[in-house]
Every structure is written in C-alpha cells, then in structure tokens.
Amino acid sequence: MPKLNAFDIITLYAKFDLSKLFEEPCLKKEAKFTSRKPASMIISKLENIAKHLKMKASKKDAGLLRFEGTKEGKKGTLSIDVEIFEVVEDFHLVEVKKSNGDTLEYQQILNECLRPGLQDIVWTWQDDQQQPQQPDDQFDEQQRNNQLQQEQHLDNQQQPLEQQQLLLQNHLIQQEQLP
C-alpha cells in the first residue's frame, strides 16, 4: 500500500485542487474520503458494496481495487478504481475514481450506494462541509456547550427587556408621586 509524503498530502488538499476550475462539481469523476479504520476493513467494506451492486471486484497491486459493471452502459462498461493511501498507521486517504463508463451512472452509484454504504467507516469526505464525526462523549460535551451558549444568548436578550420593564416601573412610580 503506497504511503503519502508531505508533498502528496498538500496536493490532495481541497484548497489546492485545481479540478474545480475545469469540472462541474456535480459531474466530478472522483471522490476522496479519509478513514481511521484499517485498510483491510476498508477493502472488505468496498468489496461488499461491489457485490451488492453486482459489480466484479478485482484487487490490483499497491492498494488499488477495480470494480467493473457487468452490463454495457451508454458510454461503455462502468469501471471504478479505488486507491487506498496510508497517511499514517490506521489513517487512510481513499480515492474513488471513474475510469470508464458514464459519469452520471458513476455519480448515482457514488451518491446512492457508496456514500451511504461507507458512512460507518468514513471519517470525512473531502468535499463535504461537515465536520468529522466525533466520539459520543465529545459530541455530548459539544451539545452541552451549545446549549449553554444558547441559554446565555437568551439571558442576554432578556436582560434589556427586564431593564426596560424596570425603567417603565420607575417612570410610573415617579408619575404617581407628582401632584
């Protein structure tokens, strides 16, 4: 399995991805995700999805998998290459690329089968704006912090109202004291 060096990682960083200048985002021919799972688990999960899709899965050398459709599509038989890179131990970058066939068919499989089918092993998809999944205790702590911030915000909104009520009460009391 190939390892990535610092230069490889920088060029894979989304902000340096120049393909946005040349391709429509919805018609991308590749997707990338990171995973904290071992490569064997990632491969197993991908093979199960290929089997479910009735695609032929074949392992190539150096962490490359190829999934091929069994039916001829509009633009030939769909082929998807999946390459797994080890960034550090138990942290992998996975590239999923359409190597042949119809891009719309690839996008449909990616969005309807691969993304949902891989959600339990994916840490984050490269183009997603969502934050990486967090362990439950960190998630609970974040929820508590968000709740506290909302309560403080409400308290801050109520204080001016309470101050206005006090000013109004003082004004009314002063008016009653006048002859």
Side-chain angles (χ1 to χ4, degrees), residues 14-61:
K15 295 202 187 269
F16 296 114
D17 181 10
L18 298 178
S19 67
K20 295 173 190 169
L21 299 172
F22 307 105
E23 292 181 354
E24 293 292 323
C26 63
L27 297 178
K28 280 192 148 195
K29 297 176 184 177
E30 77 172 45
K32 297 175 187 168
F33 69 87
T34 54
S35 178
R36 297 167 126 185
K37 303 296 182 189
S40 59
M41 184 182 283
I42 297 168
I43 291 168
S44 174
K45 193 74 168 174
L46 287 164
E47 287 175 335
N48 286 339
I49 292 171
K51 187 177 181 180
H52 173 74
L53 292 170
K54 296 183 176 123
M55 295 182 86
K56 184 174 73 173
S58 57
K59 291 181 188 178
K60 304 285 182 181
D61 56 347

Side-chain angles (χ1 to χ4, degrees), residues 114-170:
L114 285 174
R115 283 181 181 254
L118 295 170
Q119 70 184 5
D120 59 334
I121 65 164
V122 169
W123 188 51
T124 185
W125 287 91
Q126 182 184 10
D127 293 334
D128 282 357
Q129 299 301 319
Q130 299 173 349
Q131 294 297 316
Q133 295 176 355
Q134 300 173 343
D136 291 340
D137 47 338
Q138 284 181 335
F139 180 75
D140 291 342
E141 184 177 342
Q142 187 176 9
Q143 277 188 321
R144 283 192 295 274
N145 287 340
N146 288 344
Q147 234 175 352
L148 285 173
Q149 286 176 346
Q150 287 175 351
E151 290 171 5
Q152 287 174 347
H153 181 68
L154 288 175
D155 287 346
N156 290 342
Q157 286 181 335
Q158 290 174 352
Q159 282 178 349
L161 181 61
E162 292 172 358
Q163 288 174 347
Q164 287 176 358
Q165 288 175 339
L166 284 173
L167 287 172
L168 182 60
Q169 286 175 347
N170 286 338

